[in-house]
Amino acid sequence: METTLRRGPGRRRRRLQWTIALLTGAAIAGTGIALIVYNDSKPSLYRPGEEHEDVTSSLARDLPPDAPVPGLVDVTREAGLGDFRAFAGERSSQLPEDMGPGAAFGDYDDDGDDDLLLVASGARLDLPPEERAPTQLYENLGDGSFRRVASFPEPRIIGMGAAWGDADGDGRLDLVVTGYNTLILYRNRSGRLERDPLFPEPQGFWSGASFGDFDNDRDLDLYVCGYVRYVASEVGSAAHASKQYGRTVPYTLNPSSYRPERNLLFRNEGDGTFTEVGETLGVSNPEGRSLSALWHDFDDDGRLELYVANDISDNVMYYNRGGSFEDVSHPAWVADYRGAMGLAAGDWNRDGDDDLFITHWVAQENALYDSQLAGRQGQPAAAGRAALQFVDVADQRGLGQIALRVVGWGAEFLDLDADGWLDLAVANGSTFETDDVPRNLVPENSFLFWNRRGEHFHDLAPLAEPLAVAHVTRGLAVSDFDDDGDPDLLLVHRDGGAQLLRNDTPQAGRWIKIRLRSRGRDGAPTGLGDGANLVAHVRDAVLRRSVGGPSYLSQSSRTVHFGLGAAERIDRLQVLWLGGEASVHEGLEAGATWEITEGEAAARRIASTSTSAAAATGDLRARVVEFWAHQRGAMNAMKVEKDHAKAIELFRRALAIDPEHEDSIYYLANCLAREGDVVQAMAELERLITIDPGSHRAHRRIGVLRALTATSDADLEAAEAPLERAVEINPEETGALLALGEVALLRGDLDTAEQRFSWACHTNPRAAGGYFLGGYIAWKKGDEARARKLLAETRRALGKEWVPKGMTAEGDVEVAMHDDATPLSRHWEGWDGVEDPARAYARLDGDLRERRANRAMAG
């Protein structure tokens, strides 16, 4: 028994030990199996910039069967843009080197097609300006190609963005260029861009720039975004770095390392000057590191709201209360807290109000803020700013999570296939550096989203061969550069140059294009409709478009494009002019470009080479090429070969294709005058005025030709009327005003002439003729000291590179007729620089006496 008692506990102990061992083994085995299963099924950690099955591949949706195959063709080199380079040499890991560049489309030479400004981001900060890549201007030749404009100054800057806008109300686009310690305004002087020495150029890191008439006084104001107060570092000196999403980011590339820069609002005073009022009006946004700004009338009240995209801090929407602003970011639900870059506005779902798209930094998704205005109209709360509320629907519509792995920049709505629904292009490119040396930025693929009837956006970029190569893209802009009726796409790569993609996508419908002419301060139709909203009723659909938009550091065409689907016309088009009365136009036919002038009931169909004459032959592109072959040949014969008879014949051939092409008519008139056929030249200029009553150059040229050929005081009096009309159309362009002063001087009215020359010099400090002829009047009145002073001003106005042209023979007006000179311009152009009034004015004085004697004999 004792034995039994001794064995009992031992047997039980052994059984317990075996049980514990078996349970332990089972637990270990179960844990192992569970770990295997878990490791096979768990979602792995997502690192921004990586392809990831759970986050990216799972987002891919099978394209619907009706999705178009995007026909984007890379025509960069054949279009003449292949030599542009955005950056020269290697980076030095400093923020200003990586944020640009952008681009801007704008018809700066008024020939009916969009020209192109390409901003270069330059080179690393420690290199001298001469080693930086230059910012370049390209003229659209109208045949699908561009030519670099040799007269453009081509600044060598650490460039960011650009924007076109008629800053002085003369009907010609001026240009603003921004960059690191760069803010330049170029004035358009009859097609030649010259830096405005009077425009303030404060030091700072300036990014996006946007023109908009915020106070509805009929001139364009300018908003400029300030990014950070960057402090340049020596190459390799950035010892501090931070970890962002598992990647090392140098101190010098992190915008949080620097204080924010304030934004600037330049109010246009209407006299060629600006006053900076950003802080005064509460829109300087001093806490924001701003990259883009959008002027847009979101509630159709005729006033522009201002939306600012900020990196790191909240975005801001400033509601326009009629010259003052209220921050409504939070009540409107658009105080976007993510790192924002690019902006685009458009009615993507055709519900009758304009929505807002925003690109963001990596792992933050992009945003599609859908306006709730249309659904709230008629309710009490819909009045004023309370109506502005937006809801982010990017995830629901396929635009959110797909952007997690990329950094978004430029963006623009466009109707790629003319089906009447706005599609969306988005430029992508990382801010992270590669691991290898030299440390470049990581390239990424851009997006091309097709909008399937407002239900979902599908990315077609993988189907577009030109978009298959990843780039570090920043700028993006849209223009129908070849005037064939569909919008084309331009991308600007930080790691290369420009990429121009011609849109050959099969069109699902017809198209129509609208160009606006708004009224300026003086009532003349010199504006381009900036800020206007257009509402088109097409069958049962309502389509909205607007004039103007910023993308990222970039600007798209001001010509408004509508895709109409199967419709053959716009049944009813309402133009909501900014600060003016709405106008309504009915029955605008598809397949054409229409010009609408504010205050005029009838829209004018523009007879271009891509519409009327070309369509009649059934061979659109061939006729476009034929027209421009004649036009370019004529310009070459006129300017280079000096064969004006040949130029006349070629201009007439061009006009047989497009009878209303204004450039062809104008230069044909000049060549006829050069050949001595002044009567026919006048007839051509009168025809140009019939086509375009606001043609400043036609009125001016008629007045100058009459003055050049005047044989009596009555002839001089007849010259004054067209010159006065030219000044009325464009008071900021001083050529006509100078010519009026010359006519008064020819008639012997010294006081009137002196007043006109003084006005011209006040308006344009480079009006050399005004100073020279004003000095002559001072000399004739016995004020030799003032005459000497005005001769010195003439030398200054002519510039450092001026050399005398040499005096033409007395009374020789033949050359002047072609060179667009005025009756007395050869005197200051042939001046030898001597500052003794008696010697400087001897030829002029003799010429004036001889002319008076000849008129007296003729009378």
Side-chain angles (χ1 to χ4, degrees):
M1 190 166 179
E2 287 181 3
T3 303
T4 301
L5 291 172
R6 284 196 300 268
R7 289 178 180 174
R11 200 178 290 120
R12 287 195 298 270
R13 188 179 297 114
R14 283 193 296 274
R15 290 195 189 106
L16 180 61
Q17 290 172 347
W18 276 106
T19 300
I20 293 172
L22 289 172
L23 291 172
T24 302
I28 293 172
T31 302
I33 293 171
L35 286 171
I36 292 172
V37 173
Y38 174 72
N39 284 327
D40 286 342
S41 61
K42 75 171 184 177
S44 58
L45 177 65
Y46 170 59
R47 294 168 64 88
E50 297 178 345
E51 294 288 346
H52 189 287
E53 183 177 359
D54 291 306
V55 178
T56 55
S57 299
S58 63
L59 296 175
R61 297 169 181 259
D62 293 334
L63 290 176
D66 55 341
V69 176
L72 297 184
V73 180
D74 191 333
V75 295
T76 309
R77 187 156 295 280
E78 67 184 79
L81 304 178
D83 293 334
F84 173 75
R85 289 294 174 267
F87 195 83
E90 299 177 1
R91 304 167 54 254
S92 63
S93 296
Q94 299 202 63
L95 191 60
E97 300 169 357
D98 293 348
M99 299 303 291
F105 280 111
D107 183 11
Y108 89 97
D109 54 3
D110 291 331
D111 63 354
D113 49 35
D114 284 323
D115 309 296
L116 177 63
L117 191 284
L118 292 176
V119 181
S121 44
R124 68 188 205 184
L125 264 61
D126 62 336
L127 292 181
E130 59 268 21
E131 297 188 33
R132 299 171 182 166
T135 290
Q136 295 178 328
L137 175 63
Y138 291 86
E139 175 193 2
N140 189 332
L141 299 179
D143 59 357
S145 68
F146 293 83
R147 177 176 58 200
R148 188 174 65 84
V149 179
S151 63
F152 182 64
E154 294 192 349
R156 294 178 181 266
I157 58 177
I158 307 298
M160 289 286 283
W164 296 99
D166 183 6
D168 48 16
D170 64 353
R172 289 182 175 270
L173 289 176
D174 307 298
L175 176 68
V176 164
V177 178
T178 67
Y180 176 59
N181 287 330
T182 298
L183 181 58
I184 305 172
L185 173 63
Y186 292 98
R187 299 281 187 174
N188 190 338
R189 305 298 187 192
S190 300
R192 185 183 181 91
L193 295 176
E194 300 176 356
R195 189 167 183 164
D196 184 352
L198 302 180
F199 183 75
E201 299 181 1
Q203 294 289 292
F205 190 169
W206 309 116
S207 49
S210 297
F211 281 101
D213 182 11
F214 80 88
D215 49 6
N216 286 358
D217 62 353
R218 296 287 169 161
D219 50 35
L220 289 181
D221 311 295
L222 174 65
Y223 193 79
V224 179
C225 295
Y227 189 36
V228 298
R229 298 188 177 184
Y230 189 77
V231 179
S233 302
E234 295 180 5
V235 177
S237 68
H240 300 290
S242 61
K243 288 285 185 179
Q244 295 180 351
Y245 299 106
R247 295 180 180 269
T248 300
V249 177
Y251 177 91
T252 51
L253 291 181
N254 187 348
S256 298
S257 304
Y258 307 95
R259 291 183 298 157
E261 181 61 88
R262 86 282 194 195
N263 298 345
L264 308 172
L265 175 57
F266 291 99
R267 183 179 62 209
N268 194 328
E269 301 298 346
D271 59 358
T273 65
F274 289 86
T275 302
E276 205 286 297
V277 295
E279 184 175 358
T280 302
L281 295 182
V283 294
S284 62
N285 193 206
E287 300 84 15
R289 296 166 176 84
S290 303
L291 289 171
S292 298
L294 168 70
W295 292 107
H296 195 88
D297 183 5
F298 280 103
D299 57 358
D300 289 341
D301 68 348
R303 296 191 293 262
L304 293 175
E305 276 68 60
L306 174 63
Y307 189 79
V308 182
N310 291 323
D311 196 0
I312 301 174
S313 58
D314 288 359
N315 293 351
V316 184
M317 176 173 279
Y318 295 106
Y319 185 77
N320 190 338
R321 288 193 165 279
S324 64
F325 294 92
E326 178 185 357
D327 183 348
V328 298
S329 314
H330 289 280
W333 303 339
V334 288
D336 193 285
Y337 57 87
R338 294 164 282 189
M341 284 75 151
L343 299 172
D347 185 11
W348 66 275
N349 53 359
R350 301 201 326 198
D351 66 348
D353 51 30
D354 287 331
D355 312 300
L356 180 63
F357 179 79
I358 307 174
T359 59
H360 290 122
W361 199 53
V362 70
Q364 297 179 354
E365 301 188 356
N366 292 334
L368 178 61
Y369 283 105
D370 184 47
S371 174
Q372 306 301 293
L373 179 66
R376 295 167 57 91
Q377 286 177 348
Q379 301 177 18
R385 68 170 181 84
L388 290 182
Q389 290 186 338
F390 299 78
V391 176
D392 187 0
V393 297
D395 272 340
Q396 302 171 30
R397 305 300 176 182
L399 298 175
Q401 294 183 49
I402 194 173
L404 278 170
R405 61 184 177 84
V406 297
V407 181
W409 302 90
E412 191 66 89
F413 285 109
L414 71 163
D415 191 347
L416 187 74
D417 56 353
D419 65 350
W421 295 91
L422 285 175
D423 309 304
L424 179 65
V426 181
N428 297 323
S430 183
T431 57
F432 292 126
E433 296 180 312
T434 58
D435 294 331
D436 54 333
V437 178
R439 296 194 182 281
N440 297 313
L441 297 176
V442 176
E444 295 173 342
N445 292 102
S446 293
F447 295 134
L448 182 65
F449 292 108
W450 174 63
N451 181 355
R452 189 171 189 266
R453 296 191 294 274
E455 300 165 356
H456 197 85
F457 285 91
H458 300 270
D459 183 21
L460 304 184
L463 303 180
E465 184 177 349
L467 298 179
V469 178
H471 287 282
V472 182
T473 309
R474 295 292 186 260
L476 180 152
V478 172
S479 167
D480 181 12
F481 81 94
D482 53 0
D483 197 25
D484 64 351
D486 51 32
D488 307 297
L489 184 63
L490 178 89
L491 302 171
V492 193
H493 305 310
R494 164 60 182 74
D495 58 343
Q499 186 179 24
L500 181 62
L501 304 180
R502 189 182 69 216
N503 182 9
D504 289 347
T505 302
Q507 299 296 282
R510 298 176 176 85
W511 58 270
I512 195 170
K513 296 195 295 184
I514 308 293
R515 295 176 186 165
L516 299 183
R517 286 286 182 183
S518 49
R519 302 282 176 177
R521 277 180 178 248
D522 61 354
T526 55
L528 299 174
D530 291 81
N533 288 334
L534 295 86
V535 183
H537 297 263
V538 181
R539 294 184 174 178
D540 295 330
V542 177
L543 313 179
R544 289 178 61 93
R545 302 290 186 268
S546 59
V547 179
S551 185
Y552 172 77
L553 307 180
S554 302
Q555 186 177 51
S556 295
S557 175
R558 281 179 167 81
T559 299
V560 178
H561 173 271
F562 286 91
L564 302 181
E568 297 179 352
R569 65 183 54 82
I570 290 179
D571 299 318
R572 180 172 178 268
L573 177 69
Q574 185 179 23
V575 181
L576 307 177
W577 300 96
L578 187 68
E581 296 293 328
S583 61
V584 177
H585 310 271
E586 297 183 346
L588 302 183
E589 295 180 356
T593 301
W594 295 84
E595 184 175 83
I596 297 175
T597 299
E598 186 178 8
E600 296 183 5
R604 182 173 71 91
R605 181 167 180 158
I606 299 176
S608 71
T609 55
S610 64
T611 56
S612 59
T617 69
D619 190 354
L620 181 66
R621 289 188 182 275
R623 295 292 281 170
V624 170
V625 172
E626 182 183 1
F627 171 86
W628 284 107
H630 296 323
Q631 177 73 4
R632 293 175 67 184
M635 296 297 289
N636 186 72
M638 182 182 71
K639 291 185 175 182
V640 179
E641 300 174 19
K642 308 297 183 184
D643 187 343
H644 301 97
K646 177 181 177 181
I648 289 170
E649 176 61 25
L650 290 172
F651 279 129
R652 283 176 170 158
R653 290 181 186 178
L655 287 167
I657 299 173
D658 184 355
E660 296 186 356
H661 196 279
E662 296 185 20
D663 275 356
S664 297
I665 298 171
Y666 179 77
Y667 291 115
L668 171 61
N670 281 351
C671 290
L672 288 167
R674 176 64 177 84
E675 291 293 288
D677 192 349
V678 177
V679 172
Q680 187 59 40
M682 292 282 200
E684 293 294 338
L685 291 169
E686 293 290 353
R687 182 160 75 95
L688 177 54
I689 289 174
T690 300
I691 295 169
D692 181 8
S695 176
H696 170 274
R697 60 180 176 174
H699 288 286
R700 176 181 177 274
R701 193 72 178 124
I702 287 174
V704 168
L705 284 176
R706 286 179 177 171
L708 281 166
T709 56
T711 59
S712 66
D713 287 341
D715 290 338
L716 289 175
E717 185 177 353
E720 287 193 318
L723 290 171
E724 288 172 348
R725 176 59 181 145
V727 172
E728 179 185 349
I729 292 171
N730 184 3
E732 296 296 327
E733 206 287 319
T734 53
L737 187 57
L738 280 173
L740 274 171
E742 291 179 51
V743 170
L745 186 56
L746 288 167
R747 296 175 64 184
D749 187 349
L750 298 187
D751 291 338
T752 299
E754 185 175 35
Q755 185 181 54
R756 288 170 175 173
F757 294 142
S758 176
W759 286 345
C761 294
H762 176 74
T763 303
N764 179 12
R766 298 193 63 177
Y771 292 115
F772 184 85
L773 297 175
Y776 169 77
I777 294 172
W779 176 64
K780 291 295 289 184
K781 290 183 174 182
D783 192 345
E784 183 170 330
R786 178 167 172 75
R788 287 181 178 274
K789 179 180 179 181
L790 288 173
L791 282 171
E793 286 295 320
T794 305
R795 181 67 185 85
R796 178 196 59 77
L798 288 168
K800 296 179 180 179
E801 306 300 323
W802 169 78
V803 293
K805 290 185 178 180
M807 186 68 69
T808 57
E810 297 292 337
D812 182 8
V813 299
E814 188 174 301
V815 174
M817 286 183 184
H818 166 62
D819 289 342
D820 203 21
T822 53
L824 302 176
S825 59
R826 59 195 176 87
H827 287 287
W828 70 79
E829 291 175 348
W831 174 51
D832 59 5
V834 64
E835 296 185 4
D836 175 21
R839 292 171 56 195
Y841 293 123
R843 285 179 179 267
L844 172 60
D845 195 48
D847 185 18
L848 290 172
R849 281 189 276 106
E850 181 180 349
R851 289 171 184 261
R852 283 195 294 271
N854 290 338
R855 291 198 303 274
M857 292 176 60

